Amino acid sequence: MCIRDSLFVDKGQFDQKAIFFNSRGTEKYEELVGRMGKEYKKSELHKSLSLQPRIVYYANAIYELVFHVGTKMPTVLKDPQQIEKKKYIGNDCIHIVWNENDREYRGGTITSAFNFVHIIIHPLRNLSLIHISEPTRPLYISYAVFCLKKKKKKKYKKKKK
């Protein structure tokens, strides 16, 4: 089983304190989260999967994935550090970051000894730019992902003679 997390970074957010206070993302971000798997309450799955109240879970014959989604976790307004969110997100090895910010997301924004891979998605109009970073690589690997839509088939009527 692999546990990952998903973070939403809004415009003007540059530090973990601001990011951890997000309780929802944009419509496109929520669509991405919905495609990652099905949302469960911890009581609906085996308790060893996660102690977080809500997780996104996906399984097939080969893989079993659990996603700690920052916007699905409870935000404690009296806690400026959001320790409950940090407890899970800070211990996941892979971060999937949806970055709506104009500035580039830095891998060290969420301080932790365990965040080894960052998959950073910059949503654009008809494509998304994805950066993948690892501590062993000095620079990001960048991919441009085009979101293609199926063309509607036109129905032609045969002309009568």
Side-chain angles (χ1 to χ4, degrees), residues 154-161:
K154 292 181 181 178
K155 294 182 181 179
Y156 293 100
K157 293 182 180 178
K158 291 184 181 179
K159 291 183 181 178
K160 294 182 181 179
K161 292 183 181 181

Side-chain angles (χ1 to χ4, degrees), residues 78-133:
K78 293 179 182 179
D79 181 5
Q81 295 184 37
Q82 295 301 307
I83 296 298
E84 283 301 307
K85 287 187 181 186
K86 173 93 179 195
K87 182 168 50 174
Y88 298 101
I89 292 171
N91 287 311
D92 292 339
C93 297
I94 300 170
H95 282 225
I96 301 170
V97 178
W98 182 275
N99 188 12
E100 293 272 343
N101 206 330
D102 296 333
R103 292 167 106 187
E104 194 170 304
Y105 178 85
R106 292 185 339 266
T109 302
I110 307 298
T111 55
S112 174
F114 298 106
N115 307 148
F116 299 121
V117 177
H118 298 89
I119 300 170
I120 304 160
I121 302 169
H122 300 276
L124 304 172
R125 188 178 164 133
N126 288 321
L127 71 126
S128 294
L129 184 61
I130 299 175
H131 296 290
I132 300 173
S133 72

Side-chain angles (χ1 to χ4, degrees), residues 36-67:
M36 291 191 306
K38 186 175 177 188
E39 185 178 335
Y40 289 94
K41 294 178 184 175
K42 80 173 178 184
S43 60
E44 296 174 315
L45 291 173
H46 193 273
K47 290 187 174 153
S48 69
L49 284 177
S50 177
L51 297 174
Q52 174 191 337
R54 293 191 166 293
I55 60 169
V56 173
Y57 177 78
Y58 171 82
N60 64 21
I62 301 168
Y63 299 107
E64 189 175 28
L65 302 172
V66 173
F67 295 93

